[in-house]
Amino acid sequence: MPGLLSDLLGWGVILLFTTGALLVDRDRDQARLVTTAAWGGFAVFWAQLVPWFAFSHKSYVEGFLSLAAVPACLYAGYLVYSGRDTLFVLSRAVAAMGLVYLPFETIPAITVLGLSLPAPQQVLIETVAAQTGFITNLLGYSPALIPGPKGYMNTYRFVEPSGHRLEYTVVLACTGLGSMAIFAGLIAAVRAPLDRKLRAFAISIPIIYALNIARVTFIGIVFGNQYMQWFVDEVLFLFGATDPYRVSFFLSDRVISQIGAVFALVGVIYLVVRELPELLTVIEDVLFMMTGDEYDLARQLDLPRVPDGGEEVE
């Protein structure tokens, strides 16, 4: 479950990945042991999130992915220990992803020399909430912006003609931070010229951010206006819920948006590897873990074969 222990576990795992990444060029045997331990810890991290995603958060897509991540991490650790050194690139990427994501998840608001600094997640959440509200208003809807459960200005209140109130809160998961951290980590992990890395960053992050604003706006409008009250009893049964007003939310967010996000990320990956073919090593390793077969994506996509940190190979 998300909380202090989960945060501490997350930081511990990312520090192990970071240590392993720093050791690779100095002592590869030590790096192998540390990185193997990091993958084992990562499996534990995902395992403790499965019940929250599946039952509390009621996201079957994220619950399934968290569950699948457990054996995947254990297998990655086994492959690293067995000598598949290309997985050091993916391991570096995980370290970078965590260093991008965890500060927003775990750092609280602080006061320094009398100056109050908001929590990083508050800044990001309120920014996304404000931009979502701006687009929602442009589309002709006018929900009221009110303080959310944490006191952030991140909740929109829709009022039906009957007077029933529907409140939609923008949380950290609504900011696109997770997806942006994945791409930032992948781009940072490969050894490639800085100009190509910057181009890959400029392609991926703005696209993900813009698509996420569209996604959050779509969910808010659909839920706030109850536009998808379809198969009410069946949807409530599927998600283990009883409130019929949440059906539009479940369908727009947990089904349509999450499935659409998978296709969107695949498209962004394709655009990014055109700039950074070094990332094909990571994708090929993931495919190997899923299928047991080796792949040559560079040839299939008509891209140059560029080893991590090396020159193009014909």
Side-chain angles (χ1 to χ4, degrees):
M1 292 291 188
L4 178 60
L5 291 179
S6 179
D7 291 345
L8 291 175
L9 176 60
W11 274 113
V13 169
I14 294 305
L15 289 176
L16 279 176
F17 274 117
T18 303
T19 302
L22 294 174
L23 285 172
V24 167
D25 294 327
R26 301 178 183 179
D27 189 332
R28 184 149 294 212
D29 290 336
Q30 282 291 102
R32 196 180 309 284
L33 292 175
V34 172
T35 304
T36 299
W39 281 110
F42 209 27
V44 174
F45 175 79
W46 287 114
Q48 56 93 32
L49 286 178
V50 172
W52 183 77
F53 276 128
F55 305 116
S56 298
H57 197 51
K58 297 187 184 302
S59 172
Y60 292 121
V61 173
E62 291 172 309
F64 172 77
L65 292 176
S66 298
L67 182 62
V70 176
C73 290
L74 293 175
Y75 187 40
Y78 166 76
L79 290 174
V80 170
Y81 186 77
S82 300
R84 190 176 179 93
D85 287 1
T86 53
L87 277 169
F88 280 124
V89 183
L90 178 58
S91 302
R92 287 201 304 268
V94 173
M97 293 172 199
L99 293 174
V100 171
Y101 185 87
L102 284 177
F104 289 91
E105 177 69 40
T106 62
I107 295 178
I110 59 174
T111 300
V112 179
L113 300 176
L115 178 63
S116 296
L117 301 176
Q121 68 169 250
Q122 178 180 355
V123 176
L124 181 58
I125 287 171
E126 290 186 342
T127 299
V128 170
Q131 293 170 344
T132 298
F134 176 76
I135 301 299
T136 301
N137 289 331
L138 283 181
L139 294 174
Y141 302 91
S142 302
L145 179 62
I146 62 174
K150 291 186 176 182
Y152 303 166
M153 295 302 293
N154 65 330
T155 297
Y156 285 96
R157 175 180 289 162
F158 293 80
V159 181
E160 292 192 302
S162 64
H164 183 79
R165 296 178 176 181
L166 296 166
E167 294 182 357
Y168 174 52
T169 299
V170 176
V171 297
L172 190 62
C174 301
T175 63
L177 176 64
S179 298
M180 290 187 288
I182 289 173
F183 279 90
L186 289 170
I187 294 168
V190 297
R191 291 167 176 165
L194 180 59
D195 61 333
R196 288 200 287 113
K197 284 192 172 191
L198 291 176
R199 287 200 298 270
F201 189 86
I203 290 171
S204 58
I205 302 305
I207 291 176
I208 293 170
Y209 191 85
L211 288 176
N212 183 70
I213 293 294
R215 177 185 72 90
V216 177
T217 302
F218 164 72
I219 296 168
I221 291 174
V222 168
F223 169 63
N225 294 276
Q226 297 287 278
Y227 284 153
M228 290 186 178
Q229 292 301 104
W230 308 332
F231 308 106
V232 173
D233 292 336
E234 292 81 0
V235 172
L236 290 177
F237 174 77
L238 179 64
F239 287 93
T242 58
D243 184 358
Y245 286 103
R246 289 182 60 77
V247 169
S248 288
F249 174 77
F250 288 139
L251 290 177
S252 62
D253 180 25
R254 301 295 191 257
V255 180
I256 295 173
S257 292
Q258 291 190 359
I259 293 175
V262 173
F263 288 99
L265 290 178
V266 170
V268 175
I269 288 173
Y270 176 77
L271 293 175
V272 170
V273 297
R274 305 298 297 188
E275 290 292 339
L276 278 182
E278 290 88 348
L279 284 177
L280 292 176
T281 298
V282 176
I283 300 172
E284 288 167 350
D285 277 335
V286 172
L287 290 174
F288 174 80
M289 289 190 292
M290 292 173 61
T291 67
D293 296 325
E294 298 285 1
Y295 291 84
D296 187 353
L297 295 180
R299 176 170 298 178
Q300 294 174 12
L301 297 175
D302 193 26
L303 291 171
R305 168 62 63 182
V306 185
D308 185 50
E311 300 295 332
E312 293 185 7
V313 176
E314 297 295 339

